[in-house]
Amino acid sequence: MTALPNEKPLNRIQTLVDWRVFYSNTGGALRLMREILPRMAEKYGVSVGYLCRARKNVPPAVSHSFDASLPFPFSLLPEIPFKEARWTQRLTGMENTVFHTPYYTLCPAPLPTVATIYDLISEIFPEQSPGPHFDKVRQKKAELIRGATRLIAISKSTTNDLCRRFNVSPDRVDHIPLAVDFTFFSTAPSPSEVGRFRSSLPPRPFLLIVGGRENHKNFARFLEAYRGSPLKDDFHVVVTGEGWAPDEQRLLEDSGVKPRIYNVGKIDDHGLRTLYHLAAALVYPSYYEGFGLPALEAMASGTPLAVSHASSLPEVVGDAGYYFDP
């Protein structure tokens, strides 16, 4: 075990991580925690436990762990006040334990809390997530931001938004940018990996769009620009993510370029790496990002990059890409 510079070894520190981040099979938060938790345990001797409110996905195995689960049958109960009371009883008095929430969850016990803040999309664009459920999520997030011991923001842009919107002192925020596995993304895909996509890809060079297509991702305006550009005669477009929504189907039909747009759906990291290496360029038209992980992945893959000059993207891309007004 290696100690941090000028500090004692951290082998007696416990990190209790909110399990909810593992509910989804995709997303930057999930990928971040899968990468960082085993490293925390192996390199610094930190013991990792999980606040398991439900059992859906399996978190990463770590070399140092501790059991923070509720005994049967409490572990099977839904999220009700009685179960929260059992959590409070279970966790209260834990020594040398820090609660880390990558999913905007309040700790049921008075433990020092570190919260990772990825973006403020829900607060800046509330029209994209309306209704009582999301209002409650925003309320809990605000409570967490105000009450957490420390906050981690993944970009300077998110740090600035956080401090400005919630009146948070910059002294409470640690700016820790994201990273990618450079060795993985810089390695050329195998012929078999390329072969998986050949039948679903266009015959000519293509521009790549990665990730969600919510309003702030600006896909509709990209489509409008592509339709009016001579680029459409030389490049198709490949899109990853969800299938086309009904309004997107209408948009594609009206655009007149639907035959040039290919949606390959949700893909794993190996498929994503293959697309980066095959693409003529990644186009990132978003006008708000908490960080912009696909831009970093594209750079690691050696893929030319055209991005919006907006929010966090200039600090992520630096002088390694071409910029445009979103």
Side-chain angles (χ1 to χ4, degrees):
M1 185 191 71
T2 303
L4 288 170
N6 303 319
E7 293 193 17
K8 297 179 180 179
L10 300 179
N11 57 323
R12 296 193 179 183
I13 297 294
Q14 296 186 149
T15 297
L16 180 65
V17 180
D18 186 12
W19 179 285
R20 291 181 207 235
V21 72
F22 301 105
Y23 281 11
S24 172
N25 291 313
T26 60
L30 175 69
R31 296 173 70 182
L32 171 65
M33 299 312 293
R34 278 181 172 167
E35 293 287 343
I36 202 170
L37 291 177
R39 287 171 169 81
M40 285 174 58
E42 182 177 351
K43 188 171 183 180
Y44 300 115
V46 177
S47 289
V48 178
Y50 299 100
L51 186 66
C52 307
R53 286 187 167 90
R55 297 188 177 276
K56 293 188 178 181
N57 287 356
V58 178
V62 296
S63 56
H64 302 277
S65 62
F66 67 96
D67 182 16
S69 60
L70 289 180
F72 177 87
F74 300 107
S75 58
L76 302 180
L77 293 175
E79 292 185 39
I80 55 177
F82 176 70
K83 188 173 184 178
E84 288 298 295
R86 289 292 299 182
W87 270 120
T88 302
Q89 185 181 33
R90 172 75 176 85
L91 302 177
T92 298
M94 272 192 171
E95 295 183 355
N96 300 323
T97 302
V98 174
F99 179 66
H100 181 199
T101 173
Y103 200 76
Y104 307 140
T105 303
L106 299 171
C107 184
L111 296 177
T113 296
V114 176
T116 297
I117 309 299
Y118 304 96
D119 57 60
L120 297 183
I121 292 173
S122 181
E123 288 74 22
I124 296 175
F125 307 101
E127 69 280 0
Q128 293 185 189
S129 51
H133 169 73
F134 288 104
D135 288 342
K136 187 176 181 179
V137 170
R138 281 186 281 267
Q139 179 183 349
K140 280 190 171 183
K141 186 174 174 181
E143 291 177 20
L144 176 66
I145 289 171
R146 294 188 180 101
T149 312
R150 300 293 300 177
L151 299 167
I152 295 174
I154 61 174
S155 67
K156 293 179 182 177
S157 175
T158 296
T159 299
N160 294 336
D161 290 341
L162 180 62
C163 294
R164 182 171 58 249
R165 187 164 285 263
F166 289 96
N167 196 29
V168 171
S169 169
D171 294 338
R172 287 182 55 220
V173 185
D174 295 296
H175 165 227
I176 305 178
L178 301 184
V180 298
D181 186 338
F182 178 80
T183 300
F184 174 80
F185 280 102
S186 63
T187 301
S190 67
S192 62
E193 289 175 323
V194 173
R196 287 173 52 198
F197 281 97
R198 278 302 181 200
S199 61
S200 57
L201 293 178
R204 67 178 68 183
F206 64 88
L207 306 175
L208 180 62
I209 301 283
V210 171
R213 297 187 300 276
E214 300 89 346
N215 289 346
H216 71 278
K217 295 289 188 178
N218 210 18
F219 178 71
R221 186 158 290 172
F222 162 78
L223 200 61
E224 179 184 347
Y226 175 74
R227 179 183 62 179
S229 169
L231 284 175
K232 69 178 181 296
D233 299 325
D234 299 313
F235 297 91
H236 280 85
V237 175
V238 171
V239 177
T240 72
E242 301 285 349
W244 301 122
D247 60 332
E248 290 180 319
Q249 288 280 15
R250 291 190 294 270
L251 183 66
L252 288 167
E253 294 287 352
D254 294 343
S255 71
V257 294
K258 185 177 180 181
R260 296 182 175 90
I261 312 294
Y262 289 66
N263 190 332
V264 296
K266 293 182 177 180
I267 55 176
D268 60 18
D269 283 353
H270 287 270
L272 191 57
R273 177 180 65 178
T274 300
L275 291 180
Y276 284 135
H277 280 263
L278 294 177
L282 175 75
V283 182
Y284 213 149
S286 177
Y287 53 84
Y288 181 87
E289 290 292 330
F291 184 83
L293 200 56
L296 201 59
E297 293 168 343
M299 288 191 287
S301 303
T303 309
L305 185 64
V307 300
S308 301
H309 197 282
S311 64
S312 61
L313 292 174
E315 67 179 276
V316 173
V317 176
D319 59 0
Y322 297 94
Y323 290 97
F324 55 82
D325 184 339

